[in-house]
Coordinates of all heavy atoms in Angstrom, one line a residue:
Chain A
A316 N 65.6 22.6 6.0 CA 66.1 22.1 7.3 C 65.5 22.9 8.4 O 65.0 22.3 9.4 CB 67.6 22.1 7.4
F317 N 65.5 24.2 8.3 CA 65.0 25.1 9.4 C 63.5 24.9 9.6 O 63.0 24.7 10.7 CB 65.3 26.5 9.0 CG 64.8 27.5 10.1 CD1 65.6 27.7 11.2 CD2 63.6 28.1 10.0 CE1 65.2 28.6 12.2 CE2 63.2 29.0 11.0 CZ 64.0 29.2 12.1
A318 N 62.7 24.9 8.5 CA 61.3 24.7 8.6 C 61.0 23.3 9.2 O 60.1 23.2 10.0 CB 60.6 24.8 7.2
G319 N 61.7 22.3 8.8 CA 61.5 21.0 9.4 C 61.7 21.0 10.9 O 61.0 20.4 11.6
E320 N 62.8 21.6 11.3 CA 63.1 21.6 12.7 C 62.1 22.4 13.5 O 61.7 22.0 14.6 CB 64.5 22.2 12.9 CG 64.9 22.4 14.4 CD 65.1 21.0 15.1 OE1 65.0 20.0 14.5 OE2 65.3 21.1 16.3
Q321 N 61.6 23.5 12.9 CA 60.6 24.3 13.6 C 59.3 23.4 13.8 O 58.7 23.4 14.9 CB 60.3 25.5 12.8 CG 61.4 26.6 12.8 CD 61.7 27.1 14.2 OE1 60.8 27.7 14.9 NE2 62.9 26.8 14.7
N322 N 59.0 22.7 12.8 CA 57.8 21.8 12.9 C 58.0 20.7 13.9 O 57.1 20.3 14.6 CB 57.4 21.3 11.5 CG 56.2 20.4 11.6 OD1 56.2 19.2 11.5 ND2 55.0 21.0 11.8
R323 N 59.3 20.1 13.8 CA 59.6 19.0 14.8 C 59.4 19.5 16.2 O 58.8 18.9 17.1 CB 61.0 18.5 14.6 CG 61.3 17.2 15.4 CD 62.8 16.9 15.3 NE 63.6 17.9 16.1 CZ 63.7 18.0 17.4 NH1 63.1 17.1 18.2 NH2 64.4 19.0 18.0
R324 N 59.9 20.7 16.5 CA 59.8 21.2 17.9 C 58.4 21.5 18.2 O 57.9 21.2 19.3 CB 60.6 22.5 18.0 CG 62.1 22.3 18.0 CD 62.9 23.6 17.6 NE 62.6 24.7 18.5 CZ 63.4 25.1 19.5 NH1 64.5 24.4 19.8 NH2 63.0 26.1 20.2
H325 N 57.6 22.0 17.2 CA 56.2 22.3 17.5 C 55.4 21.0 17.8 O 54.7 20.9 18.7 CB 55.6 23.0 16.2 CG 54.2 23.2 16.3 ND1 53.6 24.2 17.1 CD2 53.1 22.6 15.7 CE1 52.3 24.2 17.0 NE2 52.0 23.3 16.1
V326 N 55.6 20.0 16.9 CA 54.9 18.7 17.1 C 55.2 18.1 18.5 O 54.4 17.6 19.2 CB 55.2 17.8 16.0 CG1 54.7 16.4 16.3 CG2 54.6 18.3 14.7
E327 N 56.5 18.1 18.8 CA 56.9 17.5 20.1 C 56.4 18.2 21.3 O 56.0 17.6 22.3 CB 58.4 17.3 20.1 CG 58.9 16.4 19.0 CD 60.2 15.7 19.3 OE1 61.0 16.2 20.1 OE2 60.4 14.6 18.7
A328 N 56.3 19.6 21.1 CA 55.8 20.4 22.2 C 54.3 20.1 22.4 O 53.8 20.0 23.5 CB 56.1 21.8 22.0
E329 N 53.6 20.1 21.2 CA 52.2 19.9 21.3 C 51.8 18.5 21.8 O 50.7 18.4 22.4 CB 51.6 20.1 19.8 CG 51.7 21.5 19.3 CD 50.4 22.3 19.6 OE1 49.4 21.9 19.2 OE2 50.6 23.3 20.4
S330 N 52.6 17.5 21.5 CA 52.1 16.2 21.8 C 52.8 15.6 23.0 O 52.7 14.4 23.4 CB 52.4 15.2 20.6 OG 53.8 15.2 20.4
A331 N 53.6 16.5 23.7 CA 54.3 16.0 24.9 C 53.4 15.4 26.0 O 53.8 14.4 26.6 CB 55.1 17.1 25.5
S332 N 52.2 16.0 26.1 CA 51.3 15.5 27.2 C 50.3 14.4 26.7 O 49.5 14.0 27.4 CB 50.6 16.7 27.7 OG 49.8 17.3 26.7
I333 N 50.5 14.0 25.4 CA 49.5 13.0 24.8 C 50.2 11.6 24.9 O 51.3 11.4 24.5 CB 49.2 13.3 23.3 CG1 48.6 14.8 23.2 CG2 48.3 12.3 22.8 CD1 48.4 15.2 21.8
P334 N 49.5 10.7 25.5 CA 50.0 9.3 25.6 C 50.3 8.8 24.2 O 49.5 9.1 23.2 CB 48.9 8.5 26.3 CG 48.0 9.5 26.9 CD 48.1 10.8 26.1
P335 N 51.3 7.9 24.0 CA 51.7 7.4 22.7 C 50.5 6.8 21.9 O 50.4 7.0 20.7 CB 52.8 6.4 23.0 CG 53.3 6.8 24.3 CD 52.2 7.4 25.0
E336 N 49.6 6.1 22.7 CA 48.6 5.4 22.0 C 47.5 6.3 21.4 O 46.7 6.0 20.6 CB 47.9 4.4 22.9 CG 47.2 4.9 24.1 CD 48.2 5.1 25.3 OE1 49.4 5.1 25.1 OE2 47.7 5.3 26.4
L337 N 47.5 7.6 21.9 CA 46.5 8.6 21.4 C 47.1 9.5 20.4 O 46.4 10.4 19.8 CB 46.0 9.4 22.6 CG 45.2 8.6 23.6 CD1 44.7 9.5 24.7 CD2 44.0 7.8 22.9
K338 N 48.4 9.5 20.1 CA 49.0 10.4 19.1 C 48.5 10.1 17.7 O 48.3 8.9 17.4 CB 50.5 10.4 19.2 CG 51.0 10.9 20.5 CD 52.5 10.9 20.5 CE 53.0 11.5 21.9 NZ 54.4 11.6 22.0
V339 N 48.4 11.1 16.9 CA 48.0 10.9 15.5 C 49.1 11.4 14.5 O 49.0 11.3 13.3 CB 46.7 11.5 15.1 CG1 45.5 10.8 15.9 CG2 46.7 13.0 15.4
V340 N 50.1 12.0 15.1 CA 51.3 12.4 14.3 C 52.5 12.2 15.1 O 52.6 12.5 16.3 CB 51.1 13.9 13.8 CG1 51.0 14.9 15.0 CG2 52.3 14.3 12.9
Q341 N 53.5 11.8 14.4 CA 54.9 11.6 15.0 C 55.9 12.1 14.1 O 55.8 12.0 12.8 CB 55.1 10.1 15.3 CG 54.4 9.6 16.5 CD 54.7 8.2 16.9 OE1 54.9 7.4 16.0 NE2 54.8 7.9 18.1
V342 N 57.0 12.6 14.6 CA 58.1 13.1 13.8 C 59.4 12.5 14.4 O 59.5 12.3 15.7 CB 58.3 14.6 13.7 CG1 57.2 15.2 12.9 CG2 58.2 15.2 15.1
Q343 N 60.3 12.2 13.6 CA 61.6 11.5 14.1 C 62.7 11.7 13.1 O 62.4 11.7 11.9 CB 61.3 10.0 14.4 CG 62.5 9.4 15.0 CD 62.1 8.0 15.5 OE1 61.0 7.6 15.7 NE2 63.1 7.1 15.6
R344 N 63.9 11.9 13.6 CA 65.0 12.0 12.6 C 65.6 10.6 12.5 O 65.7 9.8 13.5 CB 66.1 12.9 13.2 CG 65.6 14.4 13.2 CD 66.7 15.4 13.3 NE 66.2 16.7 13.2 CZ 65.9 17.3 12.1 NH1 66.1 16.7 10.9 NH2 65.3 18.5 12.1
A345 N 65.9 10.2 11.3 CA 66.4 8.8 11.0 C 67.2 8.8 9.7 O 67.0 9.8 8.8 CB 65.3 7.8 11.0
L346 N 67.9 7.8 9.4 CA 68.7 7.7 8.2 C 67.7 7.5 7.0 O 66.5 7.1 7.2 CB 69.6 6.4 8.2 CG 70.8 6.6 9.1 CD1 71.5 5.2 9.3 CD2 71.8 7.5 8.4
M347 N 68.2 7.8 5.8 CA 67.4 7.6 4.6 C 68.0 6.4 3.9 O 69.3 6.3 3.9 CB 67.5 8.8 3.7 CG 66.6 8.6 2.4 SD 66.9 10.0 1.3 CE 66.4 11.4 2.2
C348 N 67.2 5.5 3.5 CA 67.8 4.3 2.8 C 68.5 4.8 1.5 O 68.0 5.7 0.8 CB 66.6 3.3 2.4 SG 65.9 2.5 3.9
D349 N 69.5 4.1 1.2 CA 70.3 4.4 0.0 C 69.7 3.7 -1.2 O 70.1 2.7 -1.7 CB 71.8 3.9 0.2 CG 72.7 4.4 -0.9 OD1 72.3 5.2 -1.7 OD2 73.8 3.9 -0.9
T350 N 68.8 4.4 -1.8 CA 68.1 3.8 -3.0 C 67.7 4.9 -3.9 O 67.4 6.1 -3.5 CB 66.8 3.0 -2.5 OG1 66.0 2.7 -3.7 CG2 66.0 3.8 -1.6
N351 N 67.6 4.6 -5.2 CA 67.1 5.6 -6.2 C 65.6 5.6 -6.3 O 65.1 6.2 -7.2 CB 67.8 5.2 -7.6 CG 69.2 5.8 -7.7 OD1 69.5 6.8 -7.0 ND2 70.0 5.1 -8.4
S352 N 64.9 4.9 -5.5 CA 63.5 4.9 -5.6 C 62.9 6.3 -5.6 O 63.4 7.2 -4.9 CB 62.9 4.1 -4.4 OG 61.5 4.3 -4.3
A353 N 61.8 6.5 -6.3 CA 61.2 7.8 -6.4 C 60.7 8.2 -5.0 O 60.6 9.4 -4.7 CB 60.1 7.8 -7.4
I354 N 60.3 7.3 -4.2 CA 59.8 7.6 -2.9 C 60.8 7.2 -1.9 O 61.1 6.1 -1.6 CB 58.5 6.8 -2.6 CG1 57.4 7.2 -3.7 CG2 57.9 7.1 -1.2 CD1 56.1 6.4 -3.6
P355 N 61.4 8.2 -1.2 CA 62.4 7.9 -0.2 C 61.9 7.1 1.0 O 60.7 7.3 1.3 CB 62.9 9.3 0.2 CG 62.3 10.3 -0.7 CD 61.1 9.7 -1.3
T356 N 62.7 6.3 1.5 CA 62.2 5.6 2.7 C 63.3 5.5 3.7 O 64.5 6.0 3.5 CB 61.7 4.2 2.3 OG1 61.1 3.6 3.5 CG2 62.9 3.3 1.8
T357 N 63.0 4.9 4.9 CA 63.9 4.9 6.0 C 63.8 3.6 6.7 O 62.8 2.9 6.6 CB 63.5 6.0 7.0 OG1 64.2 5.9 8.2 CG2 62.0 6.0 7.3
P358 N 64.8 3.2 7.4 CA 64.7 1.9 8.2 C 63.6 1.9 9.2 O 63.2 0.9 9.6 CB 66.1 1.9 8.9 CG 67.0 2.7 8.1 CD 66.2 3.8 7.5
L359 N 63.0 3.1 9.5 CA 61.8 3.1 10.4 C 60.7 2.4 9.7 O 59.8 1.9 10.4 CB 61.4 4.6 10.6 CG 62.4 5.5 11.4 CD1 61.8 6.9 11.4 CD2 62.6 5.0 12.8

Side-chain angles (χ1 to χ4, degrees):
Chain A
F317 181 83
E320 175 65 6
Q321 291 298 298
N322 182 253
R323 188 192 68 78
R324 287 162 58 98
H325 174 74
V326 169
E327 296 207 334
E329 289 271 298
S330 64
S332 58
I333 302 174
E336 64 274 16
L337 294 181
K338 291 182 180 181
V339 293
V340 59
Q341 285 183 321
V342 287
Q343 187 170 334
R344 295 199 176 277
L346 286 168
M347 184 188 300
C348 291
D349 185 11
T350 168
N351 276 333
S352 167
I354 301 175
T356 188
T357 168
L359 297 173

